[in-house]
Amino acid sequence: MHSKVAAMFNDWEEALIWSCLQGHMGNIILDNEKNPASAMIEIGDFCFFAGQPNTALFHDIEGEKLLIPKDKAWEALIENFFDGRVNKIFRYAIKKEPDVFDKTRLASFINSLDDCYELRMIDREVYELARKEAWSVDLCSQFNDYADYQRRAFGVSILHNGELVAGASPYAVYNNGIEIEIDTRPDYRGKGLATVCGAKLILECLARNVYPSWDAHDLRSVALAEKLGYHLSHPYVTYELIGRQANEHKAGIRYF
């Protein structure tokens, strides 16, 4: 890893950035390989920009993405370059606090699950089910195949009558941590399944000495995070880059 690139992102407490800088996932795009002044980290549907603002990095972006600028200068450049193609929103950074979780409270959420549901760790069968549906694909989208997932990740799922209806799994992995992805099938939302999945995955992480990092796409996600023991850090500007054929489900944005 180029020391100048690491320096551009060194005060950005973002699990996806760590994952890429540590060589686990994603790509780093530079304005100059030997002496970079600008950098883009691309991991899944997220693009993070740091260093000296430079439109050259935008030409490597394909499809619908979430563009996250380091500062106001990058914000202005994104708005000008992608005029009419970006939607400015706020995402919410959640504090990374390893000792805030109440295991008894988390277990109570899990125990409240109705007997009609099956709570199961993600195995090969569930992995394949998740890949088949737009709402659930991000539970495993950043892994090459099940063997890769099994080697580097672990997740939980809820099934109803043999069908996958909710899950929590790493969107990304980094040294001693994961970035949590939680998704619920649209017709099963509002039933508390995301709470159960989140609680179970957090407990699994704690048992394995893995930190369950959380980043919220909206205030509902913040509320769920706080219910599970997290605390809000701060909002930050994000730009939704919309392709010509916008898809109803935008990967990397959590739905409960």
Side-chain angles (χ1 to χ4, degrees):
M1 167 53 53
H2 202 295
S3 60
K4 287 190 175 182
V5 176
M8 293 180 205
F9 295 94
N10 67 353
D11 58 347
W12 206 335
E13 288 201 343
E14 168 56 60
L16 299 184
I17 290 175
W18 295 342
S19 177
C20 191
L21 291 178
Q22 293 166 4
H24 295 283
M25 294 176 160
N27 301 297
I28 301 175
I29 310 299
L30 306 175
D31 63 331
N32 184 294
E33 290 291 336
K34 292 184 177 181
N35 188 28
S38 310
M40 175 181 78
I41 283 181
E42 180 181 27
I43 179 166
D45 295 280
F46 295 79
C47 295
F48 300 88
F49 300 92
Q52 182 179 327
N54 188 337
T55 59
L57 299 183
F58 297 155
H59 297 290
D60 290 294
I61 301 173
E62 296 181 358
E64 296 179 14
K65 296 288 185 179
L66 295 173
L67 312 181
I68 304 173
K70 181 76 179 291
D71 51 36
K72 295 281 187 184
W74 274 107
E75 287 181 30
L77 196 68
I78 289 172
E79 291 179 8
N80 182 64
F81 185 87
F82 294 105
D83 183 38
R85 291 184 58 206
V86 290
N87 178 34
K88 184 178 182 179
I89 62 172
F90 284 96
R91 290 180 65 91
Y92 299 86
I94 303 298
K95 292 180 180 179
K96 292 173 172 56
E97 304 169 293
D99 301 319
V100 296
F101 302 107
D102 183 336
K103 294 181 181 179
T104 301
R105 177 175 167 82
L106 294 174
S108 72
F109 292 139
I110 298 168
N111 293 334
S112 71
L113 184 65
D114 192 281
D115 290 341
C116 71
Y117 296 107
E118 176 190 0
L119 181 62
R120 188 201 300 185
M121 297 299 291
I122 293 180
D123 53 19
R124 183 182 296 275
E125 178 187 2
V126 175
Y127 177 91
E128 295 300 337
L129 289 173
R131 290 184 59 195
K132 293 178 181 178
E133 301 288 341
W135 71 266
S136 58
V137 69
D138 278 338
L139 294 173
C140 56
S141 62
Q142 301 309 306
F143 299 90
N144 297 326
D145 50 31
Y146 179 67
D148 183 37
Y149 183 89
Q150 188 179 38
R151 179 173 63 86
R152 298 199 287 163
F154 53 89
V156 302
S157 65
I158 293 178
L159 288 84
H160 186 230
N161 296 327
E163 296 183 359
L164 178 63
V165 296
S169 182
Y171 187 79
V173 299
Y174 62 97
N175 291 351
N176 303 313
I178 65 169
E179 173 78 3
I180 291 182
E181 172 77 21
I182 298 183
D183 294 296
T184 304
R185 206 171 83 177
D187 53 334
Y188 280 81
R189 292 171 191 163
K191 301 179 183 294
L193 301 185
T195 300
V196 175
C197 288
K200 177 64 173 174
L201 186 55
I202 290 169
L203 287 177
E204 288 290 334
C205 285
L206 297 179
R208 304 172 193 226
N209 293 316
V210 171
Y211 185 76
S213 182
W214 187 293
D215 190 80
H217 84 278
D218 64 9
L219 293 176
R220 286 190 310 125
S221 180
V222 172
L224 177 57
E226 292 179 336
K227 182 178 181 181
L228 294 170
Y230 295 92
H231 298 102
L232 174 65
S233 177
H234 62 276
Y236 63 90
V237 171
T238 301
Y239 294 92
E240 294 178 319
L241 176 60
I242 309 300
R244 293 181 180 178
Q245 295 179 336
N247 191 308
E248 180 182 356
H249 174 79
K250 293 181 177 60
I253 301 179
R254 301 176 181 82
Y255 295 92
F256 306 129

